[in-house]
């Protein structure tokens, strides 16, 4: 899609729009943003991805033998899509609870301003 756009060959059938809401929570490594710790084993990825509407995007990760480990500050983007922003937030935060690594940190207010009186995002 981006390559087609850069070449000026983007056509309307290349893009689809959804009426669903998406929300992404970034899981960061211990020490982020200063000196993020590397090499912490990450668990729970399969369980998080098994949740309906959830995708986990790798950013600061690496393989060490058969394990996935932290390898940068912004480790994972835990993203959920749902019919409402409140549901997308709930799904994303539930997935964040399933992913574990030493020193994992993430904001617990993503989407909160948009939810307003609809309830807390986390």
């Amino acid at each position: 899609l981006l390559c087609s756009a850069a070449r000026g060959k983007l056509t309307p059938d290349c893009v689809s729009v959804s009426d669903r809401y998406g929300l992404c929570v970034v899981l960061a490594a211990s020490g982020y943003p200063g000196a993020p710790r590397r090499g912490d084993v990450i668990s729970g990825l399969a369980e998080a991805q098994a949740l309906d509407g959830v995708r986990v995007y790798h950013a600061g990760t690496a393989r060490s033998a058969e394990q996935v480990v932290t390898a940068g500050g912004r480790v994972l983007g835990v993203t959920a899509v749902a019919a409402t922003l409140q549901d997308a937030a709930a799904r994303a935060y539930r997935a964040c609870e399933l992913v574990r690594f030493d020193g994992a940190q993430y904001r617990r207010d993503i989407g909160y301003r948009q939810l307003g009186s609809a309830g807390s995002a986390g």
Side-chain angles (χ1 to χ4, degrees):
L1 185 62
L2 294 176
C3 184
S4 294
R7 291 183 176 148
K9 297 180 180 180
L10 187 61
T11 60
D13 62 321
C14 290
V15 180
S16 64
V17 178
S18 172
D19 60 353
R20 298 178 67 181
Y21 290 81
L23 186 130
C24 180
V25 178
V26 173
L27 273 69
S30 177
Y32 176 82
R37 191 168 64 206
R38 300 170 188 273
D40 291 320
V41 175
I42 303 170
S43 64
L45 292 170
E47 293 83 353
Q49 289 236 122
L51 295 176
D52 186 40
V54 172
R55 290 270 171 106
V56 179
Y57 296 97
H58 292 249
T61 64
R63 282 228 177 251
S64 177
E66 295 299 314
Q67 299 176 319
V68 177
V69 298
T70 60
R74 294 180 181 185
V75 178
L76 299 164
V78 179
T79 304
V81 176
T84 67
L85 182 58
Q86 189 169 12
D87 194 22
R91 290 177 190 201
Y93 281 108
R94 175 65 187 124
C96 287
E97 292 170 4
L98 295 172
V99 176
R100 305 246 185 246
F101 56 90
D102 286 343
Q105 57 180 322
Y106 57 93
R107 290 181 53 161
R108 289 167 171 77
D109 63 344
I110 304 301
Y112 180 74
R113 281 191 204 157
Q114 304 306 9
L115 289 171
S117 63
S120 172

